[in-house]
Amino acid sequence: MTADARAGERLRVGLGAAIREFVREPINLALILALPPVVITSYESVLSAFPRLPYMTTDPEALGATAGALFVAAFLPGVIGLFQVISAQRADERLSLAGFPTPVLFASRLAAVCLAAVVTAALSLAVLATSTEVESLALGFLTLAFVGGLYGLVGMLIGTVLPRELEGSLALIFVVDVDEALASGVMATDAAATKLFPLHYPHQVFRAAVDGRAPDLVDLVAAGTYGLVVLATTVLVYTVLAGAGGETR
């Protein structure tokens, strides 16, 4: 068997282990199916009671629906990424002892997270489309899937540097909440620091998809660059902190 074939087989085995570990818990499947409709309709209902403030460019009810879609598309893969790293520690140790290189372990975990991001994006967009007209479904889906992958990486990064379920979950929830509040336009702010949060540029692209406008090239490039930086950072941190000598910590 060639080196490429061995790497492909190891990636397949690692991905299969990650998926089996996820579906083994029925609560995981229940959350991924139930959270999108619950979160999106809740956001929509809550913001529908808000008056349209002068700085808002979108009707509060529609703003709530799109904000809910982006939130759940980011939050679910983020949590899955977090627990893929934390709860899989023993499984990764066994795979490392079986000869799995750390980059293959990382790739298999990330592939499982990306799969969850795609499913969450499809469900979120389907729920959103029942109440809000999305002019470009393809761009909307790609943006939500990108957001899921981006926050999946953030979850894996938090899980690597803070490998504790409670503390890691609280840190992730705080980041996603603040990020979505700043990006959605619910809060009146134009501070430059808001552009450092993961959802700032994807939110602009998603609004363009909903409105049927061509997305701004600057937003597309900035979002892609942001994703590459987060990917490189997560790979570096995971490789340094995990897997040395066949151990994940």
Side-chain angles (χ1 to χ4, degrees):
M1 183 179 291
T2 65
D4 289 343
R6 282 197 299 272
E9 179 63 15
R10 287 169 173 170
L11 180 60
R12 186 189 66 78
V13 172
L15 176 60
I19 292 176
R20 284 194 298 275
E21 183 180 350
F22 179 80
V23 301
R24 193 176 294 134
E25 297 293 338
I27 187 64
N28 292 336
L29 297 178
L31 286 176
I32 205 169
L33 292 174
L35 272 187
V38 171
V39 171
I40 293 171
T41 54
S42 297
Y43 267 63
E44 185 178 18
S45 176
V46 169
L47 285 187
S48 66
F50 275 45
R52 181 165 181 167
L53 300 174
Y55 59 83
M56 289 184 175
T57 58
T58 307
D59 176 72
E61 186 172 354
L63 181 63
T66 55
L70 279 162
F71 174 85
V72 76
F75 176 70
L76 266 178
V79 170
I80 293 170
L82 176 75
F83 282 92
Q84 277 286 310
V85 172
I86 295 177
S87 65
Q89 181 177 357
R90 291 184 178 178
D92 282 357
E93 287 176 350
R94 290 193 293 269
L95 289 171
S96 292
L97 290 174
F100 277 70
T102 300
V104 176
L105 286 174
F106 178 84
S108 62
R109 297 301 178 194
L110 180 59
V113 171
C114 289
L115 182 60
V118 169
V119 173
T120 306
L123 290 174
S124 300
L125 190 61
V127 175
L128 177 65
T130 63
S131 62
T132 302
E133 186 175 1
V134 181
E135 296 291 343
S136 177
L137 291 173
L139 180 59
F141 170 75
L142 290 174
T143 306
L144 291 179
F146 173 80
V147 164
L150 183 59
Y151 255 99
L153 286 169
V154 173
M156 293 178 72
L157 181 60
I158 293 176
T160 303
V161 299
L162 186 62
R164 297 179 178 84
E165 295 181 355
L166 177 60
E167 292 86 342
S169 299
L170 291 176
L172 181 64
I173 291 171
F174 176 78
V175 172
V176 180
D177 275 337
V178 172
D179 190 3
E180 178 49 37
L182 293 174
S184 66
V186 174
M187 301 173 62
T189 176
D190 57 355
T194 61
K195 298 180 180 179
L196 299 177
F197 284 87
L199 288 182
H200 178 80
Y201 294 107
H203 196 281
Q204 304 302 318
V205 177
F206 191 66
R207 284 302 319 169
V210 173
D211 297 340
R213 296 180 284 105
D216 194 318
L217 182 60
V218 173
D219 292 331
L220 290 173
V221 172
T225 304
Y226 198 106
L228 290 175
V229 170
V230 174
L231 174 61
T233 303
T234 307
V235 170
L236 177 63
V237 172
Y238 186 91
T239 304
V240 170
L241 296 183
E247 297 180 355
T248 54
R249 296 284 183 275

